[in-house]
Amino acid sequence: MSTIREAGAGVGASKVMPLPARAAANTPVPLEHGIARNPGMKLDLGFLESVRSVNRSALERRVATLTKRRSIKADNQAAWLLRAIACMDLTTLNSNDTDERVRRLCAKAINPLRRDIVEGLGISGQTIRPAAVCVYHPFVATAVDAVRGTGIHVAAVSTAFPHGLAPLSTRLQEIEASVKDGADEIDVVIPRGLVYGAKWRELFNEIVAMRAACGDAHLKVILGTGDLATLRNVMLASMVAMMAGADFIKTSTGKESVNATLPVGLAMVRAIRAYFEETGYLIGFKPAGGISTAKVSLDWLVLMKEELGRPWLEPDLFRFGASSLLTDIERQLEHHLTGHYSANHRHAMA
């Protein structure tokens, strides 16, 4: 059985810990299953060098195998789509956002499915909601007030999103302001130029400072993978972010020309696995941008289950960054019940 060194064990220590159990996808997992927050580690350039080799063709073959041999149908598909809703960060990041638009988004998060669909699926007694709503800083307080008492988190995109090119002091002040307004998750974006220049120490120090500014709020680090050019850059940036204390690593802002792709996701989840094997800490993963159909969401869930195991099908370790995805999932669930697809306008959205 695969093992890891116990976190904090001294050099040469022989004590090992088992990897998380690979239970069936429909095995219940307690909501409070105690994931220790990643404290980060010293920047280890030697370890970074050891993970820099990435075989693109092998990753692409693995992704093709996953998506072709895993076909989820009927009731099983409906159950997996409900899981996708529970792992969703329902998002509005538009230049024309308003307080009212954000309130409507939060209302949709609280009641993500039409009543007739809920009753048809027989889940009236269950609470199935997106894990979080994700908004720009000016709307954090509005979102916090709208979802109060529901258990839905409020995430704020920060640090000069989507480009990340403001002075560091300005970016840190933005994080602190969002936390003060009630955000309990902060999605920060890295300056991609630091990756191109292999300025790992500078990137590490910036993320450490961002983590400190977050306080108790969880830190999701957006790599902007569509701008990083190579899977090697994706792998190295992922590892530096985790070393600096990221709670989640995230693919994209959704504003790049290329956003979340499965080969990029596979490189990132293998970085998560390598970090876990090195430290014993579990890091979350969030693909974002371009995930707009129920079918694509199933591909991502299969990837997480096959590569990292059952714990990464929980919202404290996996999120979708999505806006239109919920509409398509709702349409697919209605089709599951009635055999017919409905128009998008039948599924109200912000």
Side-chain angles (χ1 to χ4, degrees):
M1 179 173 63
S2 297
T3 57
I4 61 170
R5 292 194 296 276
E6 183 177 29
V11 176
S14 60
K15 188 171 182 180
V16 295
M17 296 165 52
L19 290 170
R22 297 179 67 82
N26 59 352
T27 302
V29 174
L31 293 179
E32 302 296 334
H33 52 288
I35 293 176
R37 191 173 184 192
N38 175 32
M41 58 183 284
K42 292 181 179 179
L43 180 63
D44 185 340
L45 297 179
F47 181 43
L48 205 60
E49 180 68 21
S50 73
V51 299
R52 72 191 308 269
S53 297
V54 180
N55 187 329
R56 174 180 284 273
S57 61
L59 292 182
E60 290 173 345
R61 287 196 302 272
R62 170 63 170 160
V63 165
T65 300
L66 283 174
T67 56
K68 287 178 180 177
R69 69 186 175 89
R70 295 295 185 187
S71 182
I72 305 171
K73 302 294 185 183
D75 288 347
N76 288 330
Q77 183 183 91
W80 280 70
L81 292 178
L82 293 174
R83 171 58 48 178
I85 293 174
C87 292
M88 192 180 297
D89 282 2
L90 196 58
T91 301
T92 181
L93 297 173
N94 301 308
S95 59
N96 61 348
D97 281 343
T98 63
D99 286 324
E100 187 54 37
R101 179 190 291 271
V102 170
R103 290 189 190 98
R104 293 200 306 270
L105 184 82
C106 293
K108 183 64 174 179
I110 295 169
N111 293 291
L113 298 173
R114 289 203 325 259
R115 184 182 298 276
D116 60 308
I117 296 176
V118 171
E119 292 173 351
L121 292 172
I123 56 173
S124 298
Q126 301 182 42
T127 301
I128 296 175
R129 291 170 173 160
V133 293
C134 184
V135 297
Y136 280 117
H137 165 72
F139 307 106
V140 168
T142 298
V144 168
D145 184 62
V147 301
R148 195 181 310 278
T150 65
I152 298 172
H153 297 282
V154 174
V157 294
S158 193
T159 60
F161 179 94
H163 50 78
L165 295 177
L168 179 59
S169 59
T170 301
R171 287 179 277 151
L172 297 179
Q173 289 170 5
E174 186 180 4
I175 292 172
E176 292 167 352
S178 292
V179 172
K180 183 177 180 180
D181 280 357
D184 55 359
E185 298 179 358
I186 304 293
D187 290 29
V188 305
V189 60
I190 65 169
R192 283 65 131 189
L194 297 182
V195 177
Y196 280 125
K199 297 179 180 178
W200 306 123
R201 173 64 63 182
E202 186 175 346
L203 177 61
F204 176 85
N205 289 341
E206 284 202 1
I207 298 173
V208 166
M210 294 174 189
R211 164 66 187 269
C214 285
D216 291 334
H218 277 217
L219 173 67
K220 303 198 203 87
V221 177
I222 308 170
L223 304 183
T225 54
D227 294 337
L228 295 186
T230 68
L231 290 179
R232 174 177 294 175
N233 283 342
V234 171
M235 173 68 80
L236 296 176
S238 297
M239 195 60 69
V240 171
M242 290 184 287
M243 289 179 176
D247 297 293
F248 270 71
I249 52 175
K250 177 179 172 181
T251 59
S252 318
T253 64
K255 309 297 185 182
E256 296 91 356
S257 58
V258 177
N259 294 291
T261 67
L262 289 169
V264 161
L266 182 53
M268 292 175 70
V269 300
R270 288 191 172 175
I272 288 172
R273 190 165 66 191
Y275 186 82
F276 175 77
E277 290 169 347
E278 181 70 13
T279 68
Y281 287 101
L282 283 65
I283 308 300
F285 175 60
K286 179 179 175 180
I291 304 173
S292 58
T293 67
K295 182 181 183 303
V296 171
S297 73
L298 294 177
D299 289 341
W300 283 101
L301 289 171
V302 168
L303 173 66
M304 301 309 294
K305 175 63 171 63
E306 293 291 318
E307 285 290 318
L308 293 177
R310 178 63 180 84
W312 275 268
L313 294 182
E314 294 294 325
D316 47 9
L317 285 176
F318 181 65
R319 302 284 182 83
F320 292 107
S323 52
S324 58
L325 174 60
L326 180 55
T327 297
D328 194 59
I329 289 178
E330 201 172 8
R331 291 180 67 242
Q332 294 296 330
L333 291 173
E334 183 171 7
H335 179 269
H336 172 69
L337 293 171
T338 67
H340 301 285
Y341 286 107
S342 61
N344 282 0
H345 68 260
R346 282 178 47 83
H347 307 278
M349 192 63 191

